[in-house]
Amino acid sequence: AWTRSAEADLDIGMGSLRLEIPEGIGVRIETEGSFLSSVDVDRHFDRVDDDVYESANYGDADVRLDVRIKLGMGSVDVRATRR
């Protein structure tokens, strides 16, 4: 179980990433990509700005994960999972 907040910076030049995040953690995802990249997030995340997504509980969560993703050519798939 996650007990404290964390930050992650991911830099993907070319390729794909599937990011599985345990439900219950407050998550904010900021993405920066090109016209050759795509980001797909599931229904657990709301788009709050052009390239920013948050879980519904982000504002109230005791434990948060802030993820910054820089994507050149490829895709990112973000899913909330039960663990």
Side-chain angles (χ1 to χ4, degrees), residues 3-63:
T3 58
R4 41 184 239 188
S5 296
E7 294 182 0
D9 291 306
L10 307 174
D11 192 354
I12 303 166
M14 184 166 78
S16 61
L17 169 71
R18 180 177 174 97
L19 188 58
E20 295 183 356
I21 300 171
E23 288 181 353
I25 295 175
V27 181
R28 178 180 174 95
I29 300 166
E30 297 179 30
T31 62
E32 179 183 329
S34 71
F35 69 96
L36 298 172
S37 63
S38 67
V39 176
D40 183 37
V41 298
D42 74 11
R43 62 182 176 81
H44 288 92
F45 303 93
D46 298 317
R47 179 180 234 156
V48 296
D49 205 347
D50 283 341
D51 296 315
V52 180
Y53 305 87
E54 288 182 356
S55 59
N57 66 335
Y58 181 78
D60 300 326
D62 293 330
V63 177

